[in-house]
Coordinates of all heavy atoms in Angstrom, one line a residue:
M30 N -65.3 40.6 6.8 CA -65.8 39.8 8.0 C -64.5 39.5 8.9 O -63.4 39.4 8.4 CB -66.4 38.6 7.5 CG -65.6 37.3 7.0 SD -66.4 35.9 6.5 CE -67.1 35.4 7.8
L31 N -64.6 39.3 10.1 CA -63.7 38.8 11.0 C -64.0 37.3 11.5 O -65.2 37.1 11.7 CB -63.5 39.6 12.2 CG -63.0 41.0 12.2 CD1 -63.1 41.6 13.6 CD2 -61.4 40.9 11.8
V32 N -63.2 36.4 11.5 CA -63.4 35.1 12.0 C -62.1 34.8 12.9 O -61.0 34.8 12.6 CB -63.4 34.0 10.9 CG1 -63.5 32.6 11.5 CG2 -64.4 34.4 9.9
A33 N -62.5 34.5 14.2 CA -61.7 34.0 15.2 C -61.8 32.5 15.2 O -62.9 31.9 15.2 CB -62.0 34.5 16.5
F34 N -60.8 31.8 15.0 CA -60.9 30.3 15.0 C -59.8 29.6 15.8 O -58.6 30.2 16.0 CB -61.0 29.8 13.6 CG -59.7 30.0 12.7 CD1 -58.8 29.0 12.6 CD2 -59.4 31.1 12.1 CE1 -57.7 29.1 11.9 CE2 -58.3 31.4 11.4 CZ -57.4 30.3 11.2
S35 N -60.0 28.4 16.1 CA -59.0 27.6 16.9 C -59.1 26.3 16.2 O -60.1 25.6 16.0 CB -59.4 27.5 18.3 OG -58.6 26.6 19.0
I36 N -57.9 25.8 15.9 CA -57.8 24.5 15.2 C -56.9 23.6 16.4 O -55.8 24.0 16.7 CB -57.1 24.5 14.0 CG1 -57.8 25.3 13.0 CG2 -56.8 23.1 13.4 CD1 -57.1 25.6 11.6
T37 N -57.5 22.5 16.7 CA -57.0 21.7 17.7 C -56.6 20.3 17.0 O -57.6 19.6 16.7 CB -57.8 21.5 19.0 OG1 -58.0 22.9 19.4 CG2 -57.0 20.6 20.0
P38 N -55.5 19.9 17.0 CA -55.1 18.5 16.6 C -55.3 17.5 17.7 O -55.0 17.8 18.7 CB -53.5 18.6 16.1 CG -53.1 19.8 16.9 CD -54.2 20.8 17.2
L39 N -56.1 16.4 17.3 CA -56.3 15.4 18.3 C -55.5 14.2 17.9 O -55.3 13.8 16.7 CB -57.7 15.1 18.4 CG -58.7 16.3 18.7 CD1 -60.1 16.1 18.6 CD2 -58.3 16.9 20.0
G40 N -55.1 13.5 18.9 CA -54.5 12.2 18.7 C -52.9 12.2 18.3 O -52.4 11.4 17.8
V41 N -52.3 13.5 18.7 CA -51.0 13.7 18.5 C -50.1 13.7 19.6 O -49.0 14.2 19.7 CB -50.7 15.0 17.6 CG1 -51.3 14.6 16.2 CG2 -51.3 16.1 18.3
G42 N -50.7 13.5 20.8 CA -50.0 13.6 22.1 C -50.4 14.9 22.8 O -51.2 15.7 22.3
E43 N -49.6 15.2 23.8 CA -49.9 16.4 24.7 C -49.3 17.6 24.0 O -50.0 18.7 24.0 CB -49.2 16.2 26.0 CG -49.5 17.3 26.9 CD -49.1 17.1 28.5 OE1 -49.1 16.0 28.8 OE2 -48.7 18.0 29.0
G44 N -48.3 17.7 23.3 CA -47.7 18.8 22.6 C -48.3 19.1 21.2 O -48.2 18.1 20.4
V45 N -48.9 20.2 21.1 CA -49.6 20.5 19.7 C -49.1 21.6 19.0 O -49.5 22.1 18.0 CB -51.1 20.6 19.9 CG1 -51.8 19.2 20.4 CG2 -51.5 21.8 20.8
S46 N -47.9 22.2 19.5 CA -47.4 23.5 18.9 C -47.0 23.3 17.6 O -47.2 24.2 16.7 CB -46.3 24.1 19.8 OG -45.2 23.2 19.9
E47 N -46.4 22.2 17.1 CA -46.0 21.9 15.7 C -47.1 21.9 14.8 O -47.1 22.5 13.8 CB -45.0 20.7 15.7 CG -44.4 20.6 14.2 CD -45.2 20.1 13.2 OE1 -46.0 19.2 13.5 OE2 -45.1 20.4 12.1
P48 N -48.2 21.1 15.1 CA -49.3 21.1 14.2 C -49.9 22.5 14.2 O -50.5 22.8 13.1 CB -50.2 19.9 14.8 CG -49.3 19.1 15.6 CD -48.2 20.1 16.1
V49 N -50.1 23.2 15.2 CA -50.8 24.4 15.3 C -50.0 25.3 14.5 O -50.6 26.2 13.7 CB -51.1 24.8 16.7 CG1 -51.5 26.4 16.7 CG2 -52.1 24.0 17.4
A50 N -48.6 25.3 14.5 CA -47.8 26.2 13.9 C -48.0 26.0 12.2 O -47.9 27.1 11.5 CB -46.2 25.9 14.1
R51 N -48.4 24.8 11.8 CA -48.7 24.5 10.4 C -49.8 25.4 10.1 O -49.9 25.9 8.9 CB -48.8 23.1 10.2 CG -47.7 22.2 10.5 CD -48.0 20.7 10.5 NE -48.5 20.3 9.2 CZ -47.7 19.7 8.3 NH1 -46.4 19.7 8.4 NH2 -48.3 19.4 7.2
A52 N -50.9 25.4 11.0 CA -52.1 26.2 10.5 C -51.8 27.6 10.6 O -52.1 28.4 9.6 CB -53.2 25.9 11.5
V53 N -51.0 28.2 11.5 CA -50.6 29.6 11.6 C -49.9 30.0 10.4 O -50.1 31.0 9.8 CB -50.0 30.0 12.9 CG1 -49.4 31.4 12.9 CG2 -51.0 29.7 14.1
K54 N -49.0 29.2 9.9 CA -48.2 29.5 8.7 C -49.0 29.6 7.5 O -48.9 30.6 6.7 CB -47.2 28.4 8.5 CG -46.3 28.7 7.2 CD -45.2 27.8 7.1 CE -44.2 28.0 5.9 NZ -44.5 29.1 5.0
V55 N -50.1 28.7 7.3 CA -51.1 28.9 6.2 C -51.7 30.3 6.2 O -51.9 31.1 5.2 CB -52.1 27.8 6.2 CG1 -53.2 28.1 5.3 CG2 -51.4 26.5 5.9
V56 N -52.2 30.6 7.5 CA -52.8 32.0 7.7 C -51.9 33.1 7.4 O -52.2 34.1 6.5 CB -53.4 32.2 9.1 CG1 -54.0 33.5 9.3 CG2 -54.4 31.1 9.4
R57 N -50.7 33.1 7.8 CA -49.8 34.2 7.6 C -49.4 34.3 6.2 O -49.3 35.4 5.5 CB -48.6 34.0 8.6 CG -48.9 34.3 10.0 CD -47.7 34.2 10.9 NE -48.2 34.5 12.3 CZ -47.4 34.4 13.3 NH1 -46.1 34.0 13.2 NH2 -47.9 34.7 14.5
D58 N -49.3 33.2 5.6 CA -48.9 33.1 4.1 C -50.0 33.6 3.2 O -49.8 33.9 2.0 CB -48.5 31.7 3.7 CG -47.1 31.4 4.2 OD1 -46.4 32.1 4.8 OD2 -46.8 30.1 4.2
S59 N -51.2 33.7 3.8 CA -52.4 34.1 2.9 C -52.4 35.5 2.5 O -53.0 35.9 1.5 CB -53.7 33.8 3.7 OG -53.9 34.8 4.7
G60 N -51.7 36.3 3.3 CA -51.6 37.7 2.9 C -52.9 38.5 3.6 O -52.8 39.8 3.5
L61 N -53.8 37.8 4.2 CA -54.9 38.5 4.8 C -54.5 38.9 6.1 O -53.7 38.4 6.9 CB -56.0 37.5 5.1 CG -56.8 37.0 3.6 CD1 -57.8 36.0 3.9 CD2 -57.3 38.1 2.8
P62 N -55.1 40.1 6.6 CA -54.8 40.5 7.9 C -55.2 39.6 9.0 O -56.2 39.0 8.8 CB -55.7 41.7 8.1 CG -56.0 42.2 6.7 CD -56.0 40.9 6.0
N63 N -54.2 39.4 10.0 CA -54.5 38.3 11.0 C -53.8 38.7 12.2 O -52.8 39.4 12.2 CB -54.1 36.9 10.4 CG -52.6 36.8 10.1 OD1 -51.7 36.4 11.0 ND2 -52.1 37.1 8.9
R64 N -54.2 37.9 13.3 CA -53.5 37.9 14.5 C -53.7 36.6 15.3 O -54.8 36.0 15.3 CB -54.2 39.1 15.4 CG -53.6 39.3 16.9 CD -54.3 40.4 17.6 NE -54.1 41.7 16.9 CZ -54.8 42.7 16.9 NH1 -55.8 42.7 17.8 NH2 -54.7 43.8 16.4
T65 N -52.6 36.2 15.8 CA -52.7 35.0 16.7 C -52.4 35.3 18.0 O -51.5 36.0 18.4 CB -51.7 34.0 16.1 OG1 -52.0 33.7 14.7 CG2 -51.7 32.7 16.9
D66 N -53.1 34.7 19.0 CA -52.8 34.9 20.4 C -52.8 33.4 21.0 O -52.9 32.3 20.3 CB -53.9 35.7 21.2 CG -55.3 35.3 21.1 OD1 -55.5 34.1 21.1 OD2 -56.2 36.2 21.1
A67 N -52.9 33.1 22.3 CA -52.8 31.9 22.9 C -53.9 30.9 22.7 O -53.7 29.8 22.8 CB -52.5 32.0 24.4
M68 N -55.1 31.6 22.4 CA -56.2 30.8 22.1 C -56.8 30.6 20.8 O -57.4 29.6 20.3 CB -57.3 31.2 23.2 CG -56.9 31.0 24.6 SD -57.0 29.4 25.2 CE -58.7 29.0 25.1
F69 N -56.8 31.7 20.0 CA -57.4 31.9 18.8 C -56.4 32.6 17.7 O -55.6 33.3 18.1 CB -58.7 32.6 18.9 CG -59.8 31.8 19.4 CD1 -59.9 31.9 20.8 CD2 -60.6 31.1 18.7 CE1 -60.9 31.2 21.4 CE2 -61.7 30.4 19.3 CZ -61.8 30.4 20.6
T70 N -56.7 32.3 16.4 CA -56.2 33.1 15.3 C -57.5 33.9 14.9 O -58.5 33.3 14.6 CB -55.5 32.2 14.3 OG1 -54.4 31.7 14.9 CG2 -55.1 33.1 13.1
T71 N -57.2 35.2 14.6 CA -58.3 35.9 13.8 C -57.8 36.4 12.6 O -56.6 36.9 12.4 CB -58.7 37.2 14.9 OG1 -59.1 36.8 16.1 CG2 -59.8 37.9 14.2
I72 N -58.7 36.4 11.6 CA -58.4 36.6 10.2 C -59.5 37.5 9.7 O -60.7 37.4 10.0 CB -58.2 35.4 9.3 CG1 -57.6 35.7 7.9 CG2 -59.4 34.5 9.3 CD1 -57.2 34.4 7.2
E73 N -59.1 38.5 8.8 CA -60.2 39.5 8.3 C -60.1 39.3 6.7 O -59.0 39.3 6.1 CB -59.8 40.8 8.7 CG -60.8 41.8 8.2 CD -60.6 43.2 8.8 OE1 -59.6 43.4 9.5 OE2 -61.4 44.1 8.8
G74 N -61.3 39.4 6.1 CA -61.3 39.3 4.6 C -62.8 39.0 4.2 O -63.7 39.1 5.0
E75 N -62.9 38.8 2.9 CA -64.2 38.4 2.4 C -64.5 36.9 2.8 O -63.6 36.2 3.0 CB -64.3 38.6 1.0 CG -64.2 40.0 0.5 CD -65.2 41.0 1.1 OE1 -66.4 40.7 1.1 OE2 -64.9 42.2 1.6
W76 N -65.9 36.6 2.9 CA -66.3 35.3 3.3 C -65.4 34.1 2.6 O -65.0 33.3 3.3 CB -67.7 35.1 2.9 CG -68.2 33.8 3.4 CD1 -68.3 32.6 2.5 CD2 -69.0 33.4 4.7 NE1 -68.9 31.6 3.2 CE2 -69.2 32.0 4.4 CE3 -69.3 34.1 5.8 CZ2 -69.9 31.3 5.5 CZ3 -70.0 33.4 6.8 CH2 -70.2 32.1 6.6
D77 N -65.5 34.2 1.2 CA -64.9 33.0 0.4 C -63.4 32.9 0.8 O -62.8 31.8 0.8 CB -65.3 33.2 -0.9 CG -66.7 32.9 -1.3 OD1 -67.4 32.3 -0.6 OD2 -67.1 33.3 -2.4
E78 N -62.7 34.1 0.7 CA -61.2 34.0 1.0 C -60.9 33.6 2.4 O -60.0 32.8 2.5 CB -60.6 35.4 0.5 CG -61.0 36.5 1.4 CD -60.4 37.7 0.8 OE1 -59.6 37.8 -0.3 OE2 -60.7 38.9 1.3
V79 N -61.6 34.1 3.3 CA -61.3 33.7 4.8 C -61.7 32.1 5.0 O -60.9 31.4 5.5 CB -62.2 34.5 5.8 CG1 -62.2 34.0 7.2 CG2 -61.7 36.0 5.7
M80 N -62.7 31.7 4.5 CA -63.2 30.2 4.6 C -62.0 29.4 3.9 O -61.9 28.3 4.3 CB -64.5 30.0 4.3 CG -65.5 30.5 5.1 SD -65.3 30.1 6.8 CE -66.4 31.2 7.6
A81 N -61.6 29.9 2.7 CA -60.7 29.0 2.0 C -59.3 28.9 2.8 O -58.7 27.9 2.8 CB -60.4 29.6 0.7
V82 N -58.9 30.1 3.4 CA -57.6 29.9 4.2 C -57.9 29.1 5.5 O -57.0 28.3 5.8 CB -57.4 31.4 4.8 CG1 -56.1 31.4 5.6 CG2 -56.9 32.2 3.6
I83 N -59.0 29.2 6.0 CA -59.4 28.3 7.2 C -59.3 26.8 6.9 O -58.8 25.9 7.5 CB -60.6 28.6 8.0 CG1 -60.4 30.1 8.6 CG2 -61.1 27.7 9.0 CD1 -61.8 30.7 9.2
K84 N -59.9 26.5 5.9 CA -60.0 25.1 5.2 C -58.5 24.6 5.0 O -58.1 23.5 5.3 CB -60.8 25.0 3.9 CG -60.8 23.5 3.5 CD -61.4 23.4 2.1 CE -61.5 21.9 1.7 NZ -60.4 21.1 1.7
A85 N -57.7 25.6 4.3 CA -56.3 25.1 4.0 C -55.5 24.9 5.3 O -54.7 24.1 5.5 CB -55.7 26.3 3.2
A86 N -55.8 25.6 6.4 CA -55.2 25.5 7.7 C -55.5 24.3 8.4 O -54.7 23.6 8.8 CB -55.5 26.7 8.7
V87 N -56.8 23.9 8.2 CA -57.3 22.6 8.8 C -56.6 21.5 8.0 O -56.2 20.5 8.6 CB -58.9 22.5 8.7 CG1 -59.3 21.1 9.1 CG2 -59.5 23.5 9.6
D88 N -56.6 21.6 6.7 CA -56.0 20.6 5.9 C -54.4 20.4 6.3 O -54.0 19.2 6.3 CB -56.1 20.8 4.4 CG -57.4 20.8 3.9 OD1 -58.4 20.1 4.6 OD2 -57.7 21.3 2.7
A89 N -53.8 21.4 6.5 CA -52.3 21.4 7.0 C -52.2 20.7 8.3 O -51.3 19.8 8.5 CB -51.7 22.7 7.1
V90 N -53.1 21.0 9.2 CA -53.0 20.1 10.4 C -53.5 18.7 10.3 O -52.8 17.7 10.9 CB -54.0 20.8 11.6 CG1 -54.0 20.0 12.8 CG2 -53.4 22.2 11.9
A91 N -54.4 18.5 9.4 CA -54.9 17.0 9.2 C -53.8 16.2 8.5 O -53.9 14.9 8.6 CB -56.2 17.1 8.4
E92 N -52.8 16.8 7.9 CA -51.7 16.0 7.4 C -50.9 15.3 8.4 O -50.3 14.3 8.2 CB -50.8 16.9 6.6 CG -51.4 17.4 5.2 CD -50.5 18.4 4.5 OE1 -49.4 18.8 5.1 OE2 -50.9 18.9 3.5
V93 N -51.0 15.9 9.7 CA -50.2 15.2 10.8 C -51.0 14.7 12.0 O -50.4 14.4 12.9 CB -49.0 16.2 11.2 CG1 -48.1 16.5 10.1 CG2 -49.7 17.5 11.7
A94 N -52.3 15.0 12.0 CA -53.1 14.6 13.1 C -54.3 13.8 12.5 O -54.9 14.0 11.5 CB -53.7 15.7 13.7
P95 N -54.6 12.5 13.1 CA -55.7 11.8 12.7 C -57.0 12.3 12.9 O -58.0 11.9 12.3 CB -55.5 10.5 13.6 CG -54.8 10.9 14.8 CD -54.0 12.1 14.4
R96 N -57.1 13.3 13.8 CA -58.5 14.1 14.1 C -58.2 15.6 14.2 O -57.2 15.8 14.9 CB -59.1 13.3 15.2 CG -60.5 13.9 15.5 CD -61.2 12.9 16.5 NE -62.5 13.5 16.9 CZ -63.2 12.9 17.9 NH1 -62.6 12.0 18.7 NH2 -64.4 13.3 18.2
V97 N -59.2 16.4 13.7 CA -58.9 17.8 14.0 C -60.4 18.5 14.4 O -61.3 18.1 13.9 CB -58.5 18.5 12.6 CG1 -58.3 20.1 12.8 CG2 -57.3 17.8 12.1
S98 N -60.1 19.3 15.4 CA -61.4 20.1 16.0 C -61.2 21.5 15.6 O -60.2 22.0 15.7 CB -61.4 19.8 17.6 OG -62.4 20.6 18.1
V99 N -62.3 22.1 15.2 CA -62.3 23.5 14.7 C -63.4 24.2 15.6 O -64.4 23.8 15.5 CB -62.4 23.6 13.2 CG1 -62.4 25.0 12.8 CG2 -61.5 22.8 12.5
V100 N -63.0 25.4 16.1 CA -64.0 26.3 16.7 C -64.0 27.7 16.0 O -62.8 28.1 15.8 CB -63.7 26.6 18.3 CG1 -64.7 27.6 18.7 CG2 -63.8 25.3 19.0
L101 N -65.1 28.2 15.5 CA -65.1 29.4 14.7 C -66.2 30.5 15.3 O -67.2 29.9 15.8 CB -65.8 29.0 13.3 CG -65.0 28.3 12.3 CD1 -65.8 27.9 11.1 CD2 -63.7 28.9 11.9
K102 N -65.8 31.5 15.3 CA -66.7 32.7 15.7 C -66.5 33.8 14.7 O -65.5 34.3 14.4 CB -66.4 33.3 17.1 CG -67.3 34.4 17.5 CD -67.1 34.9 18.9 CE -68.0 35.9 19.3 NZ -67.9 36.5 20.6
A103 N -67.5 34.2 14.0 CA -67.6 35.1 12.9 C -68.3 36.4 13.2 O -69.4 36.5 13.9 CB -68.0 34.5 11.6
D104 N -67.8 37.5 12.7 CA -68.5 38.9 12.8 C -68.5 39.4 11.4 O -67.5 39.8 10.7 CB -67.6 39.8 13.7 CG -68.2 41.2 13.8 OD1 -69.4 41.4 13.3 OD2 -67.7 42.0 14.4
L105 N -69.7 39.3 10.8 CA -69.9 39.7 9.4 C -70.6 41.3 9.6 O -71.5 41.5 10.1 CB -71.0 38.8 8.7 CG -70.4 37.6 8.5 CD1 -70.6 36.7 9.5 CD2 -71.2 37.0 7.2
R106 N -69.9 42.2 9.0 CA -70.3 43.6 9.1 C -70.0 44.3 7.7 O -68.9 44.8 7.6 CB -69.6 44.3 10.2 CG -70.3 45.5 10.7 CD -69.8 46.1 11.9 NE -70.4 47.3 12.3 CZ -69.9 48.1 13.3 NH1 -68.8 47.7 14.0 NH2 -70.4 49.3 13.5
P107 N -70.9 44.2 6.8 CA -70.7 44.7 5.5 C -70.2 46.1 5.6 O -70.7 47.0 6.2 CB -72.1 44.6 4.7 CG -72.7 43.6 5.4 CD -72.3 43.7 6.9
G108 N -69.2 46.5 4.6 CA -68.7 47.7 4.6 C -67.6 48.2 5.5 O -67.0 49.3 5.4
V109 N -67.3 47.4 6.5 CA -66.4 47.8 7.5 C -65.1 47.1 7.1 O -64.9 45.8 6.7 CB -66.8 47.1 9.0 CG1 -65.7 47.3 9.9 CG2 -68.0 47.9 9.5
T110 N -63.9 47.8 7.2 CA -62.7 47.4 7.0 C -61.6 47.6 8.1 O -62.0 48.5 8.8 CB -62.0 48.0 5.6 OG1 -62.0 49.4 5.8 CG2 -62.8 47.6 4.5
D111 N -60.7 46.9 8.2 CA -59.7 47.0 9.2 C -60.3 46.9 10.7 O -59.8 47.4 11.6 CB -58.9 48.3 9.1 CG -57.6 48.3 9.9 OD1 -57.0 47.1 10.0 OD2 -57.2 49.4 10.5
A112 N -61.3 46.0 10.7 CA -61.9 45.8 12.0 C -61.1 45.1 12.9 O -61.1 45.2 14.2 CB -63.1 45.0 11.9
L113 N -60.0 44.4 12.4 CA -59.1 43.6 13.2 C -58.3 44.6 14.2 O -58.1 44.4 15.4 CB -58.1 42.8 12.4 CG -57.1 41.9 13.0 CD1 -57.7 40.8 13.6 CD2 -56.1 41.5 12.1
H114 N -58.0 45.8 13.7 CA -57.4 46.8 14.5 C -58.5 47.8 15.2 O -58.2 48.2 16.3 CB -56.4 47.5 13.7 CG -55.3 46.6 13.1 ND1 -55.3 46.3 11.8 CD2 -54.4 45.9 13.7 CE1 -54.2 45.5 11.6 NE2 -53.7 45.3 12.7
A115 N -59.3 48.3 14.4 CA -60.3 49.4 14.8 C -61.0 49.0 16.2 O -61.2 49.7 17.0 CB -61.3 49.6 13.7
K116 N -61.5 47.7 16.2 CA -62.1 47.2 17.4 C -61.3 47.3 18.7 O -61.8 47.8 19.7 CB -62.7 45.7 17.3 CG -63.8 45.7 16.3 CD -64.3 44.2 16.3 CE -65.8 44.2 15.9 NZ -66.4 43.0 16.3
V117 N -60.0 46.9 18.5 CA -59.2 46.9 19.7 C -58.8 48.5 20.0 O -58.8 48.8 21.2 CB -57.9 46.2 19.5 CG1 -56.9 46.4 20.6 CG2 -58.1 44.6 19.3
E118 N -58.6 49.2 19.0 CA -58.3 50.7 19.3 C -59.4 51.2 20.0 O -59.3 52.3 20.9 CB -58.0 51.3 18.1 CG -56.7 50.9 17.4 CD -56.3 51.3 15.9 OE1 -57.2 51.9 15.3 OE2 -55.3 51.0 15.5
A119 N -60.7 51.0 19.5 CA -61.8 51.7 20.2 C -61.9 51.3 21.7 O -62.1 52.1 22.5 CB -63.1 51.1 19.6
V120 N -61.6 50.1 22.1 CA -61.5 49.8 23.4 C -60.4 50.4 24.2 O -60.6 50.9 25.3 CB -61.4 48.1 23.6 CG1 -61.2 47.7 25.2 CG2 -62.7 47.4 23.2
E121 N -59.3 50.4 23.5 CA -58.0 51.2 24.2 C -58.4 52.7 24.4 O -58.0 53.1 25.5 CB -56.9 50.9 23.3 CG -56.3 49.6 23.2 CD -55.7 49.0 24.5 OE1 -55.5 49.9 25.4 OE2 -55.7 47.8 24.7
R122 N -59.1 53.3 23.6 CA -59.5 54.7 23.8 C -60.3 54.8 25.0 O -60.1 55.7 25.8 CB -60.2 55.3 22.6 CG -59.4 55.7 21.4 CD -60.1 56.6 20.4 NE -61.3 56.0 19.8 CZ -61.4 55.1 18.8 NH1 -60.3 54.6 18.2 NH2 -62.6 54.6 18.5
H123 N -61.2 53.9 25.2 CA -62.1 54.1 26.4 C -61.2 53.7 27.7 O -61.4 54.4 28.8 CB -63.3 53.1 26.4 CG -64.2 53.4 25.4 ND1 -65.0 54.5 25.5 CD2 -64.6 52.9 24.1 CE1 -65.9 54.6 24.5 NE2 -65.6 53.7 23.7
L124 N -60.2 52.9 27.6 CA -59.5 52.5 28.7 C -58.6 53.8 29.1 O -58.3 54.0 30.2 CB -58.7 51.3 28.5 CG -59.5 50.0 28.6 CD1 -58.4 48.8 27.9 CD2 -59.9 49.7 29.8
A125 N -58.2 54.5 28.1 CA -57.3 55.7 28.4 C -58.0 56.9 28.9 O -57.4 57.8 29.5 CB -56.7 56.1 27.1
E126 N -59.4 56.9 29.0 CA -60.0 57.9 29.6 C -60.0 58.0 31.0 O -59.9 57.1 31.8 CB -61.6 57.8 29.2 CG -61.8 58.1 27.6 CD -63.3 57.9 27.2 OE1 -64.1 57.4 28.1 OE2 -63.4 58.0 26.1

């Protein structure tokens, strides 16, 4: 499965890059395939392992923020692997035509 998620620390002021970096570090340290952009982090793996990483990322932010907002979007497609790259590559092939 792929899960795109955004964790927003609330109550920490205008700058949130440090608390967000805590979440991204948890994801990167997980060893699961992932990608971070300006709005979301996407992670790929099995349901239980992906959700455990997201929970740990939320917990890391909650250590420094009194409130945490989470947005999730999931794509469950049994039998598919490397969707994190394959989906983008498929679009790029169409753009190259």
